Amino acid sequence: MKRSYSQKVVYQIYPKSFCDSNGDGIGDFPGIISKLDYLALLGIDCIWLNACFESPQRDNGYDVSDYYKIDPDFGTMADFEQLCQEAKARNIDIMLDMVFNHTSTEHDWFQKAIKGDKSYQDHYIFLPPNADGSPPTNWQSKFGGNAWEYVPELNLYYLHLFDVTQADLNWNQIAVRQEMANIVNFWQHKGVNGFRFDVVNLISKPSTFQDDDTGDGRRFYTDGPKVSEYLRELNLNSFGHNPEALTVGEMSSTTLEQCVQYANSSQDQLSMVFNFHHLKVDYANNNKWALAPLDFKLLKSILFEWQVGMQHANAWMALFWCNHDQPRVVSRFGNDESYRNQSAKMLATTLHLMRGTPYIYQGEEIGMGNAYFEDIKFYRDVESLNYFDILKNEGLAEEDILKVLSARSRDNARTPMAWDSSPLAGFSSSQSWIDIPKESVTINVQSNLKESDSIFFHYQTLIKLRKTYPVIAEGSITPLLYEDESVFAYQRDWSEGNEHQSLIVLNHFFDSELHLDLADILGKGDNISHWQVLINNYPDLLIDQSLNTITLRPYQSIALLKLSN
Ligand code: GLC
Ligand code: CA
């Protein structure tokens, strides 16, 4: 099945940290407009803007107080409309971030609810205390602490799966679901075709609330009973009528079986889904705050399981290493000390040539690494600050906590986009809301654009290739060298009529040099001379014809193409 978006690439912008036009240290829409030519040069098709509706910014916009207004930090509605127009003029669509699982406690609905308005209390999940006054359940908030907050005036608790200022909505209420469809339609009328739905597999809560004796409660509210029903209804009442719509759901702690439903080919729910299993492969004991080295074989097996499983069901997935909640991939699975250029390109090739829609997170295309902040005073993220206290209370030494944060904090991704080598990195004319990492002196847009073999141009090539070869956009995927401990390899195939395209992608994830038997890769009868090099992050290929081997150098990544008809 052909999908209108299989050739597209999405670029994610964290508006707060992309470009500041008015010198208040916070990125804004006029700043983004001034960089649209840069994005057009990269070749992307759609910009996903992180949460930008009016918000008290407790969780950087994921606490919405008014879904019909732009947060004044980012500009005015007129600025937003201009951004849409100018993007459209460059064939770029806009995707908005719909934070529909919860609202800010400053939202008008919540304010009415706590003043005693029963109909607005029904918009949220309010429950009475247990007989001893304790919260209704022992569920944990994802940002730490109990997930219920007591409101003394009402003698009720409300549920917040995230921060205490992010109250979960009650999607069982038809009024809430109608409001959500209205909001999507409002932005759609402004010409927005893309929608990302924040933690959308958490919207359907169970009908009874009970303690979780074995976990933090997530098994009771993740992929709840009516998620698909609610998504189908939202689709029908809003974006389902729009042939240009591109929708993606963020699925927290989900399963392949569920995602096959959410993003299947009937298209009656979402175009595609994000899942995070492949980004938990460096957690010790499944704990985000406990460091472990990358489990490469686990990374491979998870990605292959999802690639093959989604393909089998004709469902579609978003491909990503980075976003505003994840550390930078070149520091995480690559090597930002000795092989930044090679490893960043290798990771890009691995991702962009798989089956699905690639997402690039701002700065990834120039090889930006983690922030490496050395003091808690540099951190801004509510989750990081909460966990600093939690880990301290658990008895961890401050030095060790800082080590964990420097690998795991969401702020690693949220530092300002580095445009040039000046002290403020060309981001703003004054001190930015969060510090600029030291590496920006060398790792920036200006230096990338100067070198024709930079990481930026590697991304540009990958985007062009997706639009040129249907095997990348539409082809099937088969894992190769499944048991190999250092190479991530796969084959893609595509045919139409007599025309056939095959692609073999070899990605070396480590800093060693290794030899592979070409017969294991190409199949016994085939010869390397039938294949052309489509993209390579080294200037050449090391082939030994007599031994029929290929040598991969540190972080080398190669795609080979064979066309036939
Ligand atoms: C999603 C967002 C994250 C936010 C959370 C709560 O995971 O990506 O930034 O904090 O939802 O809305
Ligand atoms: Ca600004």
Side-chain angles (χ1 to χ4, degrees):
M1 175 200 153
K2 272 204 171 148
R3 290 174 169 82
S4 57
Y5 40 81
S6 63
Q7 287 193 355
K8 294 189 177 169
V9 175
V10 182
Y11 186 90
Q12 183 187 350
I13 287 185
Y14 199 66
K16 220 172 164 163
S17 299
F18 193 62
C19 181
D20 173 24
S21 72
N22 61 353
D24 63 358
I26 302 173
D28 47 48
F29 290 153
I32 298 174
I33 295 171
S34 74
K35 300 297 184 186
L36 285 172
D37 285 336
Y38 166 77
L39 297 176
L41 179 69
L42 182 58
I44 53 102
D45 302 276
C46 178
I47 296 171
W48 154 24
L49 294 173
N50 275 113
C52 56
F53 302 142
E54 190 189 84
S55 158
Q57 302 289 332
R58 254 297 286 199
D59 184 24
N60 290 3
Y62 287 82
D63 44 335
V64 178
S65 53
D66 190 336
Y67 293 97
Y68 294 97
K69 290 199 181 120
I70 291 298
D71 193 277
D73 274 353
F74 303 134
T76 61
M77 186 65 90
D79 292 330
F80 176 76
E81 286 164 356
Q82 194 191 344
L83 170 60
C84 288
Q85 277 162 20
E86 300 237 5
K88 286 248 151 74
R90 293 164 178 82
N91 269 323
I92 297 174
D93 243 314
I94 298 291
M95 174 186 281
L96 286 176
D97 210 319
M98 314 311 275
V99 189
F100 282 179
N101 175 67
H102 42 264
T103 74
S104 162
T105 48
E106 288 185 24
H107 194 289
D108 200 37
W109 303 336
F110 192 84
Q111 287 300 313
K112 287 186 172 137
I114 53 167
K115 287 192 187 106
D117 187 325
K118 291 264 181 316
S119 68
Y120 283 99
Q121 281 170 15
D122 289 342
H123 274 44
Y124 297 91
I125 299 166
F126 279 96
L127 281 183
N130 292 325
D132 64 356
S134 62
T137 70
N138 65 351
W139 298 0
Q140 293 293 299
S141 149
K142 289 179 188 282
F143 289 167
N146 186 278
W148 297 90
E149 180 72 7
Y150 185 58
V151 185
E153 301 80 40
L154 302 175
N155 189 29
L156 292 171
Y157 280 89
Y158 68 86
L159 179 69
H160 63 90
L161 295 180
F162 293 89
D163 188 58
V164 56
T165 62
Q166 292 164 300
D168 280 61
L169 283 163
N170 180 5
W171 277 67
N172 255 328
Q173 292 292 315
I174 180 131
V176 168
R177 304 202 300 275
Q178 274 164 353
E179 293 279 6
M180 296 299 140
N182 292 344
I183 294 162
V184 173
N185 286 325
F186 172 84
W187 292 101
Q188 217 162 215
H189 286 142
K190 294 204 176 283
V192 173
N193 294 320
F195 297 98
R196 178 239 187 210
F197 296 98
D198 190 62
V199 290
V200 76
N201 66 328
L202 309 185
I203 57 177
S204 168
K205 308 297 192 280
S207 45
T208 56
F209 289 83
Q210 51 182 304
D211 276 354
D212 188 349
D213 299 328
T214 57
D216 60 6
R218 72 181 65 195
R219 66 193 171 105
F220 293 122
Y221 59 74
T222 303
D223 295 313
K226 292 188 172 172
V227 176
S228 280
E229 180 186 324
Y230 295 157
L231 286 174
R232 258 184 233 114
E233 186 186 292
L234 184 65
N235 176 310
L236 198 68
N237 293 333
S238 60
F239 55 83
H241 303 287
N242 177 358
E244 303 280 309
L246 196 164
T247 55
V248 57
E250 185 199 27
M251 303 300 172
S252 163
S253 302
T254 189
T255 63
L256 176 57
E257 293 69 37
Q258 291 288 345
C259 287
V260 158
Q261 303 298 320
Y262 301 143
N264 66 30
S265 55
S266 68
Q267 302 284 298
D268 61 354
Q269 296 180 49
L270 300 170
S271 320
M272 65 188 89
V273 285
F274 290 118
N275 85 81
F276 298 91
H277 294 286
H278 66 298
L279 297 177
K280 297 181 178 171
V281 293
D282 53 2
Y283 291 7
N285 309 320
N286 224 2
N287 174 3
K288 172 169 176 174
W289 309 102
L291 304 182
L294 161 66
D295 184 339
F296 177 66
K297 286 199 82 176
L298 184 61
L299 174 72
K300 268 174 76 165
S301 67
I302 291 172
L303 282 173
F304 283 145
E305 181 197 350
W306 279 79
Q307 283 282 295
V308 171
M310 293 294 273
Q311 159 169 283
H312 185 70
N314 205 356
W316 199 249
M317 63 195 272
L319 304 168
F320 70 106
W321 292 127
C322 301
N323 68 27
H324 63 294
D325 296 328
Q326 298 291 330
R328 295 279 183 181
V329 73
V330 69
S331 305
R332 186 180 193 179
F333 300 157
N335 183 330
D336 61 5
E337 281 171 16
S338 326
Y339 293 100
R340 187 189 296 254
N341 186 296
Q342 293 87 344
S343 65
K345 288 176 179 173
M346 181 278 290
L347 289 160
T349 300
T350 307
L351 195 83
H352 280 243
L353 300 184
M354 280 196 279
R355 178 182 176 277
T357 296
Y359 285 64
I360 302 169
Y361 179 68
Q362 66 180 49
E364 180 186 333
E365 79 281 13
I366 56 167
M368 281 176 69
N370 280 348
Y372 298 114
F373 289 146
E374 283 168 358
D375 192 302
I376 190 66
K377 72 173 187 231
F378 294 113
Y379 286 94
R380 299 287 176 269
D381 171 31
V382 56
E383 183 195 43
S384 305
L385 298 172
N386 287 353
Y387 269 93
F388 181 79
D389 292 340
I390 291 169
L391 296 173
K392 217 164 159 180
N393 286 336
E394 286 174 6
L396 224 67
E398 191 161 326
E399 187 190 341
D400 294 329
I401 304 176
L402 286 171
K403 225 158 114 194
V404 172
L405 288 183
S406 90
R408 291 292 145 80
S409 169
R410 307 194 297 179
D411 280 339
N412 283 310
R414 299 178 180 185
T415 59
M417 179 76 177
W419 295 100
D420 61 36
S421 57
S422 67
L424 300 171
F427 166 71
S428 174
S429 56
S430 65
Q431 178 64 36
S432 46
W433 69 277
I434 185 169
D435 256 36
I436 294 169
K438 295 184 194 78
E439 66 167 36
S440 71
V441 177
T442 46
I443 312 299
N444 56 58
V445 169
Q446 194 182 38
S447 63
N448 264 262
L449 294 182
K450 262 191 220 142
E451 304 287 340
S452 62
D453 69 343
S454 67
I455 300 167
F456 175 91
F457 288 112
H458 190 85
Y459 272 87
Q460 186 194 54
T461 304
L462 286 167
I463 297 171
K464 273 189 200 143
L465 291 174
R466 172 168 289 267
K467 298 182 189 315
T468 311
Y469 296 101
V471 66
I472 299 174
E474 310 278 345
S476 64
I477 185 159
T478 315
L480 288 179
L481 308 179
Y482 196 89
E483 294 301 330
D484 194 286
E485 313 238 316
S486 32
V487 181
F488 191 117
Y490 51 85
Q491 176 160 343
R492 309 283 314 272
D493 286 284
W494 172 88
S495 307
E496 201 171 80
N498 293 330
E499 206 186 338
H500 187 83
Q501 305 186 350
S502 291
L503 187 73
I504 286 180
V505 188
L506 303 174
N507 305 292
H508 181 13
F509 267 68
F510 297 92
D511 63 2
S512 57
E513 195 169 282
L514 58 86
H515 312 287
L516 298 173
D517 199 332
L518 279 169
D520 294 340
I521 298 166
L522 307 177
K524 285 238 156 40
D526 209 344
N527 189 290
I528 189 77
S529 62
H530 300 142
W531 295 77
Q532 68 186 82
V533 177
L534 199 60
I535 190 163
N536 181 359
N537 61 347
Y538 276 75
D540 53 7
L541 273 195
L542 292 182
I543 304 282
D544 187 320
Q545 294 283 1
S546 58
L547 293 175
N548 201 31
T549 56
I550 181 168
T551 298
L552 293 182
R553 281 162 285 182
Y555 300 100
Q556 188 162 17
S557 157
I558 304 163
L560 302 167
L561 177 75
K562 184 160 84 172
L563 303 175
S564 50
N565 50 26

